[in-house]
Amino acid sequence: MLWELEQALIEISGMEAVSLHPAAGAQGELTGILMIRAYHRSRGDVDRDEVLVPDSSHGTNPATATMAGFRTITIPSADDGGVDVAAFTAALGPKTAAVMITNPSTLGLFESRIGELLEAVHAAGALAYMDGANLNAILGRFKPGKAGFDVMHINTHKTFSTPHGGGGPGAGPVGVGD
């Protein structure tokens, strides 16, 4: 049953692999950002200590990044509610470890410039983290892994109506790309 759940989440998310180990959405989020930290450290890239967090991201993102030892940089929204691309690209640099994007955002908007943003993140050597808090809004329409996100967690209590706070295997899955 757990293997089948992993396979379903891989298909839904477009990620390469999914771990069911995190027992809640917040644990999945922390696991994902710790995986990003481990990725950079494994490559000897220890100076990457910043995480960009759009102001429209899920409210837990800055706390999670801080708990993992990163400094967060808040990126403002543009007039249309999407990420301000100029502010985003200006903040990207050799110290950027990741960007944490909630898509659709907490404003309920799908980030229409996601391709441009992810391209800039990868060009800077950083990784793209997607907060899957609002995955239910894009099921069958958008696969974060196929779009270029490197890591994401899925809030199964929102997307699949499992009990909130129920915990256990599959309650806070985290997916990864190559």
Side-chain angles (χ1 to χ4, degrees):
M1 181 172 70
L2 294 176
W3 182 85
E4 287 180 6
L5 176 58
E6 283 181 2
Q7 298 311 301
L9 294 174
I10 287 168
E11 175 62 29
I12 289 166
S13 68
M15 303 306 281
E16 295 294 321
V18 170
S19 170
L20 300 179
H21 185 71
Q27 275 189 347
E29 184 175 305
L30 181 59
T31 299
I33 203 72
L34 289 173
M35 291 168 84
I36 289 172
R37 185 179 76 182
Y39 168 81
H40 288 301
R41 287 183 178 175
S42 75
R43 299 164 38 94
D45 205 355
V46 296
D47 292 333
R48 291 187 181 273
D49 63 355
E50 298 174 348
V51 172
L52 307 186
V53 182
D55 63 5
S56 60
S57 289
H58 197 247
T60 58
N61 292 172
T64 296
T66 300
M67 284 176 52
F70 292 108
R71 184 171 69 89
T72 60
I73 298 173
T74 303
I75 305 300
S77 294
D79 290 342
D80 66 359
V83 175
D84 182 320
V85 175
F88 184 83
T89 54
L92 276 171
K95 295 185 70 62
T96 308
V99 58
M100 296 180 85
I101 296 178
T102 305
N103 197 26
S105 71
T106 55
L107 302 174
L109 301 172
F110 183 82
E111 180 53 62
S112 61
R113 295 176 288 269
I114 200 65
E116 181 180 354
L117 297 174
L118 295 181
E119 187 175 306
V121 168
H122 293 136
L127 295 179
Y129 178 92
M130 182 167 146
D131 184 308
N134 300 329
L135 183 63
N136 57 331
I138 58 173
L139 282 175
R141 297 183 175 273
F142 176 78
K143 292 185 179 189
K146 300 294 183 199
F149 280 97
D150 302 294
V151 178
M152 74 174 291
H153 84 279
I154 300 169
N155 282 28
T156 57
H157 69 277
K158 292 179 180 179
T159 307
F160 304 108
S161 301
T162 62
H164 190 223
V174 61
V176 295
D178 288 338

